[in-house]
Amino acid sequence: MELMLIFPAALFMTALFVRNLQPLQYQPAHAAESIVRWYSVRPHIGLWGLLIALPLAVVVTGCATLLRSWSDEVELRQATRQILATISAHLATILVAGATLTAGGVLAIVALHVLTD
C-alpha cells in the first residue's frame, strides 16, 4: 500500500531527471516534460496531494508500523543491536565503501551531463 502511495511522487522525481537527459523534442524527455507540466498546472492535486499529502501519509504510517514492530518484536531489537555492533566494528571500511559509492554516483552524474551537452 505504501508503494502505491509513494508512486506518484517517485514518478514526478523520475520525470524531472529524465527530461534533462536529452532535448525535449526527443522521447522519453518529451513524455517526462508532459508529466512535469501536468503536475505544475494542477498545484492543488499535483503539489499538495501527490507530492506532499501522500508521501506524508507514508511517513506517518511507516513510523507507526516501525514503532509497533519495535515494541512487539524482541528479535528485531536484538538484530538491530547486532547490526549496530557490526557497523561500529567495521566503521572505517563502511565509510570507505560509502565514499566510493558516492564518488561513483558523482562520476555517473558528471558523465551524463557531459554526454547530454
Side-chain angles (χ1 to χ4, degrees):
M1 184 64 169
E2 285 187 341
L3 291 176
M4 288 175 29
L5 291 175
I6 202 71
F7 177 76
L11 175 68
F12 178 74
M13 298 299 171
T14 304
L16 284 176
F17 175 74
V18 169
R19 76 176 182 163
N20 291 322
L21 290 179
Q22 59 187 3
L24 293 179
Q25 64 263 27
Y26 301 119
Q27 291 295 343
H30 181 70
E33 175 63 22
S34 298
I35 292 169
V36 171
R37 199 174 318 117
W38 186 91
Y39 276 76
S40 67
V41 297
R42 295 166 182 80
H44 293 292
I45 295 170
L47 176 65
W48 294 105
L50 300 175
L51 296 178
I52 295 176
L54 292 181
L56 182 62
V58 171
V59 168
V60 170
T61 57
C63 286
T65 302
L66 290 173
L67 285 173
R68 184 173 32 128
S69 295
W70 183 259
S71 64
D72 292 346
E73 298 179 24
V74 175
E75 297 88 14
L76 176 63
R77 291 192 301 270
Q78 290 173 345
T80 303
R81 287 185 190 104
Q82 289 174 348
I83 290 170
L84 292 175
T86 302
I87 288 172
S88 66
H90 301 285
L91 186 59
T93 304
I94 292 170
L95 290 175
V96 169
T100 304
L101 290 173
T102 302
V106 168
L107 287 173
I109 291 169
V110 169
L112 283 173
H113 180 70
V114 168
L115 291 173
T116 58
D117 281 345

